[in-house]
Amino acid sequence: MKKLLSTILLGGLFMANAAAKTLVVYYSYSDTGNTRRIAQEIQKKTGADIAEIEPVVPYSDNYDEVVDKAKRDVARNFKPEIKPLKVSLSDYDTIIIGTPTWWYKMASPVLTFMSSSDFSGKKVALFCTHAGWPGTVIKDMSALCTGADVFATQEIQFGTRAKAGSLVTKQPEIDDFIAKIQKNQRR
Ligand SMILES: Cc1cc2nc3c(=O)[nH]c(=O)nc-3n(C[C@H](O)[C@H](O)[C@H](O)COP(=O)(O)O)c2cc1C
């Protein structure tokens, strides 16, 4: 009985550990939360953990003000201070990173996160959400993954201002991206 119990307990521990090996890290600004929505979908379908990147000084609620500020910030590669993540990257072997597109680049808080993290030896998947102009986001994010195996990337388009929360990219394309993450979890 004792042996059976410890086997069950150990098995449980092993499963919890296996399920906790993938982490989704994302930043999302707009009130439709496009990047959050995709991050949560990945979390739900893969059993990954999830962590949100939060700037220490929150951005204004005024969208146009943020668009203006971000134009200047992005142009000079400004890295706003961010709060420490609520998890430790060292606990995960696979990291999924999601960002909105800001002026053809990754959002500034994601630049801070990626520039200050070590992804070497990890498996990484990258996605950006955008409104039709994804620029060089995926290329720029990939360049910050020195020593990592970037096994999947995806640009995901949503509508512009009036239809900001509506998905333009077809769901099967997103499903394929998530399937690559699931396949990676089995390798
Ligand atoms: C500051 C700012 C700059 C943006 N620049 C771009 C851009 O260059 N290209 C683009 O396609 N969309 C751009 N957008 C639209 C967002 O990338 C898009 O709506 C994204 O899905 C928003 O993600 P979120 O809801 O997680 O914040 C910009 C939005 C903001 C707020």
Side-chain angles (χ1 to χ4, degrees):
M1 185 62 188
K2 235 178 165 181
K3 193 163 176 222
L4 181 66
L5 256 181
S6 63
T7 311
I8 292 170
L9 275 175
L10 267 177
L13 269 179
F14 178 74
M15 278 170 65
N17 194 30
K21 280 166 69 183
T22 303
L23 175 69
V24 186
V25 185
Y26 73 96
Y27 172 71
S28 195
Y29 163 72
S30 80
D31 49 12
T32 48
N34 297 346
T35 314
R36 177 177 299 114
R37 170 172 152 189
I38 300 296
Q40 288 175 342
E41 182 177 344
I42 296 170
Q43 175 200 25
K44 229 177 270 161
K45 292 181 175 167
T46 64
D49 287 346
I50 191 161
E52 181 172 4
I53 298 169
E54 294 175 87
V56 170
V57 180
Y59 286 91
S60 158
D61 286 339
N62 183 318
Y63 189 92
D64 294 330
E65 251 175 57
V66 174
V67 168
D68 272 358
K69 176 175 163 38
K71 188 173 189 179
R72 295 188 297 274
D73 286 356
V74 166
R76 62 190 173 111
N77 286 326
F78 177 64
K79 300 183 190 77
E81 199 184 335
I82 56 173
K83 296 181 187 172
L85 278 195
K86 294 196 172 105
V87 295
S88 170
L89 288 193
S90 57
D91 291 340
Y92 299 90
D93 66 4
T94 299
I95 318 279
I96 321 300
I97 308 166
T99 183
T101 302
W102 279 10
W103 292 101
Y104 318 106
K105 307 271 185 185
M106 75 189 88
S108 306
V110 180
L111 179 63
T112 307
F113 165 71
M114 294 202 69
S115 306
S116 58
S117 303
D118 180 8
F119 301 109
S120 54
K122 297 195 187 292
K123 290 175 279 182
V124 174
L126 306 168
F127 72 94
C128 70
T129 67
H130 64 95
W133 302 272
T136 54
V137 176
I138 296 296
K139 184 171 153 265
D140 299 342
M141 290 173 94
S142 301
L144 293 175
C145 293
T146 313
D149 167 14
V150 180
F151 68 91
T153 63
Q154 185 68 46
E155 295 170 343
I156 300 168
Q157 185 177 351
F158 282 82
T160 45
R161 281 304 280 280
K163 293 181 175 174
S166 61
L167 195 56
V168 174
T169 296
K170 299 278 174 262
Q171 185 63 39
E173 217 180 300
I174 298 166
D175 291 342
D176 277 355
F177 176 60
I178 297 176
K180 285 181 194 156
I181 299 169
Q182 290 165 328
K183 192 172 163 211
N184 167 75
Q185 290 178 309
R186 294 192 294 267
R187 344 187 212 173

